[in-house]
Amino acid sequence: MFVSDNLGINSDGNLTVGGVDTVKLAEKYGTPLYVMDEQVIRNSLRQFHDSMNQYYSGNGEVHFASKAFSCMEMCRIVANEGDGLDVVSIGELYTAYKAGFPMGKVGFHGNNKTNEELRLAIEYGVGHIIVDNICELHRLEAIAAEMNAVPHIMFRIKPGIDAHTHDFVKTGQIDSKFGFALETGEAFEAVKEAVNCKNVKLYGLHCHIGSQIFDIAPFEEAAKVMLGFISEIKNKFGFEIEGLNLGGGFGIKYTGKDDPSPFETYIKRVSVVVKSECDRLGIKHPKMFIEPGRSIAGPAGITLYTVGARKEIPNIRTYVSVDGGMADNPRYILYGSEYDAIVANKASEEKSEKVTIAGKCCESGDLIGENMPLQHAESGDIIAVCATGAYNYSMSSNYNRLQKPAVVFVNNGQSRIVVKRETLDDIIKNDI
């Protein structure tokens, strides 16, 4: 009935998340409101963690991709579960640091890191800096020499894999702003230079082929390509790569049409490839890393809105307008992303119509979705949009000078604020 198992209907006919009444959440905290189920987050982390331990014999590490959802409380939960963190900016790096995250379990990504970011990463003692291009390698070597440090690095590699996903979220093909290409020899030359650097230590390789991927075969193929490159490095330089990060990108269920594989299935199948290829190529089994983000945060979250206007255009469509939109969820206008929605205070009723849920921003394209099955929605109703835990809060903005919503965590029937709603003073605090 629902895209996430943590959703239900209580005796009042209202939608619940993690056993908590969403209508009461809207009344208590206001809307728009991001709601995250802590147990779903923890359970997903544990499934990845346990599967990595099982299929890689304890020689694996899960790094949550914090770009999907980053706040201090999320960092604390990931740390509490014993996992690592993937950060992509100075802001995400600082958030982890201020949350008391163990920085040795942090990997720092980015295709255009600033010198300030590189210095801070070294100062904080991050576990790995994932180097994206040769310019960055040169700058990092110089900065590390100045700081009398030897940071561990991974190279981000483009394995040339078609991940069968939206063009905007494909990252593993040669025409990508991310990483070193294998086809051109660029990656090989970078490794050749890095093994001779005095102030960086080449620890591993990294790849990421895209996002919202349901087919496991591209991940298996990426593992083969990367291990083949590790073998080439060993044969030509006598240098053994210690770590291999295969990234993330695992798809989740946004609507009933989506059919993602269990996390364990992905890890099991890829581990078979890794073990067989290492044995065939005569290379040691590297420590394995993965970076799930959406698959951990996405299903845990919903967004609650209050319906304002209802506009029926005969023989064309019905607009149901809510008090949020592209400022708190830009994924529809960016990618045409589909969602499931429920009138939270009428959750026990049948979905009797198809509507376009419109946001309040001054843009015609400001929509949550079109032709969305929904219970009859009227002014004052509460609408829940499901599976919004990833890339909604993270991509939110102050467009039209709207305030960013609060983030509430629910756990064991209780709720708590983890990110406060912005105030009007927050909007103008940096104005001069």
Side-chain angles (χ1 to χ4, degrees), residues 230-252:
I230 289 175
S231 176
E232 181 184 8
I233 292 168
K234 179 183 177 182
N235 292 336
K236 292 185 177 179
F237 299 120
F239 184 90
E240 289 201 297
I241 294 293
E242 298 178 54
L244 175 59
N245 190 328
L246 294 178
F250 322 114
I252 69 167

Side-chain angles (χ1 to χ4, degrees), residues 302-316:
I302 63 172
T303 306
L304 300 178
Y305 301 100
T306 301
V307 176
R310 178 186 174 94
K311 186 175 294 184
E312 298 181 14
I313 305 175
N315 302 317
I316 298 179

Side-chain angles (χ1 to χ4, degrees), residues 255-283:
T255 71
K257 297 183 294 185
D258 297 326
D259 187 24
S261 297
F263 306 149
E264 181 184 14
T265 303
Y266 156 77
I267 294 170
K268 181 179 181 180
R269 281 181 50 178
V270 174
S271 73
V272 171
V273 172
V274 170
K275 291 172 184 175
S276 63
E277 285 296 290
C278 285
D279 292 344
R280 184 181 70 83
L281 295 167
I283 57 176

Side-chain angles (χ1 to χ4, degrees), residues 57-163:
S57 304
N59 193 31
E61 204 164 291
V62 178
H63 282 207
F64 171 65
S66 62
K67 67 175 183 173
F69 176 70
S70 177
C71 68
M72 290 174 66
E73 182 66 0
M74 187 65 181
C75 292
R76 288 188 282 259
I77 288 172
V78 174
N80 183 253
E81 292 295 329
D83 295 309
L85 204 63
D86 153 26
V87 302
V88 300
S89 72
I90 195 169
E92 290 180 2
L93 181 65
Y94 187 69
T95 300
Y97 177 75
K98 294 297 287 186
F101 198 88
M103 301 306 287
K105 297 184 77 170
V106 171
F108 187 26
H109 284 270
N111 69 299
N112 192 27
K113 303 179 192 72
T114 66
N115 288 352
E116 180 186 10
E117 288 176 319
L118 293 173
R119 287 191 181 95
L120 202 62
I122 294 172
E123 180 184 329
Y124 287 170
V126 301
H128 304 105
I129 297 173
I130 294 84
V131 173
D132 186 89
N133 52 73
I134 201 68
C135 299
E136 181 183 332
L137 178 66
H138 294 160
R139 288 190 294 115
L140 180 59
E141 168 81 348
I143 291 168
E146 290 173 9
M147 298 179 69
N148 195 29
V150 184
H152 287 201
I153 67 168
M154 289 185 170
F155 277 134
R156 179 157 180 170
I157 305 298
K158 293 184 276 194
I161 304 297
D162 185 352

Side-chain angles (χ1 to χ4, degrees), residues 157 182 187-188 191 205 224-233:
I157 305 298
L182 285 174
F188 181 79
V191 170
L205 302 179
K224 288 181 182 179
V225 171
M226 296 297 287
L227 290 166
F229 187 42
I230 289 175
S231 176
E232 181 184 8
I233 292 168

Side-chain angles (χ1 to χ4, degrees), residues 291-342:
E291 294 171 342
R294 182 197 314 268
S295 49
I296 290 170
I302 63 172
T303 306
L304 300 178
Y305 301 100
T306 301
V307 176
R310 178 186 174 94
K311 186 175 294 184
E312 298 181 14
I313 305 175
N315 302 317
I316 298 179
R317 72 171 81 201
T318 296
Y319 286 97
V320 172
S321 295
V322 296
D323 56 351
M326 63 182 281
D328 58 75
N329 182 357
R331 293 188 66 252
Y332 185 80
I333 200 168
L334 284 175
Y335 310 125
S337 302
E338 295 185 53
Y339 290 95
D340 184 46
I342 304 155

